[in-house]
Amino acid sequence: MSWRQEYERWHSFASLDKNLRTQLDQIQGDEQSLEDAYYKNLEFGTGGMRGKLGAGTNRMNVYTIRRAAEGLAAYIEEREGQEKGVAIAYDSRYMSKEFAVETAKVLGNHDIQSYVFSSLRPTPELSFAVRYLGAAGGVVITASHNPPEYNGFKVYNGDGGQMPPEEAGTVIKFVDQVENELTVEVADQAELEQSGLLKWIDEDVDQAYLDELKTVNVNSEVTKTVEDFSVVFTPLHGTAKMLVEKGLSQIGLTNVHTVAEQAKPDPEFSTVASPNPEEHQAFEMAINKGKETNADILIATDPDADRLGIAVPDENEEYQVLTGNQTGALLLDYLLSQNKDLPSNGIMIKTIVTSEFGRVIANHYGVTSLDTLTGFKFIGEKIKEYEETDQHTFLFGYEESYGYLVKDFARDKDAVQAAMLSAEVAAYWKSKGKTLLQALEGLYKKHGYFLEDLQSLKMEGISGSQQITAIMDDFRENPLKEAGGLKVESVEDYTSSERTNANGEVETIHLPKANVLKFNLENDCWFCLRPSGTEPKIKFYYGVKTNSRRDSSELLEVVKESVNHKIQHHL
């Protein structure tokens, strides 16, 4: 149907939710807004769905949630997982708890058990809860660090990981088979509670997770004995407060200062421009608190607590925010250097857009490295595979977008685990008379100056989607031969699963298909193009390496300039 027909279908639905009816009335006659709200169904992709709240088939609302939950119910039924059920968590966003309950009501209509957290919880605890409860799957209602007007529906399999493409494809098929989201049947909440098909969960799962969290600590003496070690923590109005505070207390850190103004859940994220620890502005209040308390490390988690950022003082006692690649390198080096009995089959897993710094560090300790596609679901998938085959022992997984996993009791990136380890690493280096920045400089001097950057172009709506497609097509059909004076040695197209070398030789890439292009340059440099799967953006990743910080900084800029020059006529 056309967008007008879809709009009329909603507008004529007599039982339409009152709030959504009001929203429709407010945009009546605004054809541009109506078209954007109805020109397509909100896409349910390999990670679930995410979008703006509001009325329409291309929006997050009670009906698009029911459509997604109906598809998930069919997936659970096909696998006869009704009794195992589904664990459900939600964050601090608008409508999060309501959407969690709606999901349980749809599942309950199919006699599928639901375990719903009684209040907001982090995404990694949901991942853990799926495994702890032996559930057939999981759902988190979250839009991660997106702006306040967004929410999302993220799906997990019975292993506690985000579904890899084949599994997700089955759910997508069932979701697409839902003919009318307005008429999806739901059970009565009170009746589900009375029958036990909807069970509320909380402290028992919390304690089980906290017990496992103790295993993240490598050396308890470090955090218990370093004098005057101070931590500032901010959950950025999200879900991490309780678990991070209790976790830090468990490892003996008592000098912890939570940013009070950002400790309370707030769907508006009112003290920050963006609740994203990748953005330096998110640290402003933590930096002020750090200066007040002479903190050795500042820790920030995003609203659903799967991403973590840290900031540490420099020689001028000004706080510097580390990149995800830098934090990952420090955590990895500490884990491997402190483990005196590394398994011979140990493995570190990162994504194709994550710095090569980690691979070099792992190689230094004799540890194998593996690259996956962008998305932690691929790291979780490999952990499961190695667990079943004993081919490798998982040691650490991370991605440049501030996601880390230390222990595999969760199967998604876990900012709570990363907070524990980051604090310990900072305490360790303080015991050696160094800051984390000084420790990082030591790694650069030993392994080379790896520098990276990320640029994002936001392109919303129909025209934005067309622009993103045009840029990807241009780089495929007219690939650069050099960038920043560096020759292109190979181009990896993950849509065709082919690596084309400069001499024309073509090799097969043994990874799932994805709309990603990576250009490998000489001297261990590279850049990569990837449309975001969760936001209306195209992302450009860059990585360079030289023997000095200055040379790497200059090279990074000229590589970026070459790529930006090519995309200008698309903007």
Side-chain angles (χ1 to χ4, degrees), residues 230-232 257 286 289-298 312-313 319:
S230 176
V231 178
V232 165
H257 309 273
K289 192 73 171 179
K291 290 180 177 179
E292 289 176 17
T293 59
N294 196 31
D296 296 286
I297 184 171
L298 316 180
V312 292
Y319 286 95

Side-chain angles (χ1 to χ4, degrees), residues 217-227 229-231 251 253 296-297 330-331 333-340 365 420-436 438-440 443 446:
N217 192 215
V218 176
N219 184 350
S220 59
E221 292 305 308
V222 169
T223 49
K224 291 177 181 177
T225 58
V226 177
E227 292 185 7
F229 183 75
S230 176
V231 178
I251 62 174
L253 292 176
D296 296 286
I297 184 171
L330 285 163
L331 299 184
D333 180 74
Y334 179 76
L335 283 171
L336 300 185
S337 67
Q338 298 301 302
N339 191 334
K340 304 306 180 186
Y365 293 100
M420 301 306 107
L421 187 61
S422 296
E424 180 178 341
V425 175
Y428 169 81
W429 284 110
K430 183 172 185 177
S431 74
K432 303 297 183 184
K434 293 184 178 181
T435 66
L436 282 182
Q438 290 169 332
L440 182 63
L443 291 178
K446 182 186 293 185

Side-chain angles (χ1 to χ4, degrees), residues 455-516:
Q455 294 178 312
S456 295
L457 293 178
K458 192 171 186 178
M459 298 177 170
E460 294 188 295
I462 301 170
S463 61
S465 179
Q466 292 170 343
Q467 278 181 292
I468 291 172
T469 298
I471 291 171
M472 294 298 292
D473 287 347
D474 188 13
F475 273 83
R476 282 193 172 95
E477 296 165 9
N478 308 290
L480 290 175
K481 302 299 182 184
E482 63 89 26
L486 298 174
K487 293 179 181 178
V488 174
E489 294 187 336
S490 66
V491 179
E492 297 174 354
D493 188 340
Y494 290 86
T495 299
S496 60
S497 299
E498 291 181 339
R499 179 186 298 107
T500 304
N501 296 320
N503 62 7
E505 181 184 349
V506 178
E507 304 172 11
T508 300
I509 300 172
H510 298 286
L511 287 174
K513 294 183 182 297
N515 187 18
V516 179

Side-chain angles (χ1 to χ4, degrees), residues 95-158:
M95 299 297 293
S96 282
K97 186 169 186 179
E98 291 87 342
F99 288 165
V101 172
E102 282 302 318
T103 301
K105 286 161 64 177
V106 172
L107 296 174
N109 189 59
H110 292 265
D111 294 324
I112 296 172
Q113 175 73 59
S114 289
Y115 301 95
V116 186
F117 278 101
S118 58
S119 57
L120 53 82
R121 291 297 190 283
T123 287
E125 188 178 1
L126 181 280
S127 172
F128 169 77
V130 171
R131 299 174 58 78
Y132 177 72
L133 297 168
V139 170
V140 184
I141 306 298
T142 180
S144 188
H145 53 270
N146 278 51
E149 64 269 23
Y150 281 78
N151 212 328
F153 182 99
K154 193 187 297 187
V155 184
Y156 288 75
N157 61 19

